[in-house]
Amino acid sequence: MAFNDDLAWGMLAALQGSAISVPGDLSIVGYDGSHLSRIMPLSGLTTVRQDVEGLARLAVERAVARVE
């Protein structure tokens, strides 16, 4: 599990040319759903995407509800 997609790509690059195959021997998961995630299916990497706008909206709605 990588902190973000950039680090996931770095992990993949570090494994290039090694005996470890991705995703055959090792799965690499990035996080943040960055622009890189659009091409990840071609590389064997996986990303976890969050709905930032939805989470922000929900946080504000809940904060306002508590104040009310």
Side-chain angles (χ1 to χ4, degrees), residues 3-10 30-34 36-37 40 46-47:
F3 178 75
N4 59 30
D5 291 343
D6 292 336
L7 291 176
W9 275 105
Y31 186 82
D32 72 15
S34 73
L36 293 173
S37 65
M40 283 192 176
T46 300
T47 189

Side-chain angles (χ1 to χ4, degrees), residues 19-27:
I20 299 171
S21 112
V22 177
D25 299 321
L26 178 70
S27 294

Side-chain angles (χ1 to χ4, degrees), residues 35-68:
H35 66 283
L36 293 173
S37 65
R38 284 179 253 152
I39 57 176
M40 283 192 176
L42 303 175
S43 66
L45 297 175
T46 300
T47 189
V48 176
R49 183 186 161 276
Q50 284 195 58
D51 178 7
V52 176
E53 289 178 20
L55 290 171
R57 184 176 48 256
L58 183 60
V60 170
E61 288 171 3
R62 290 191 177 174
V64 169
R66 288 184 69 119
V67 169
E68 290 175 343

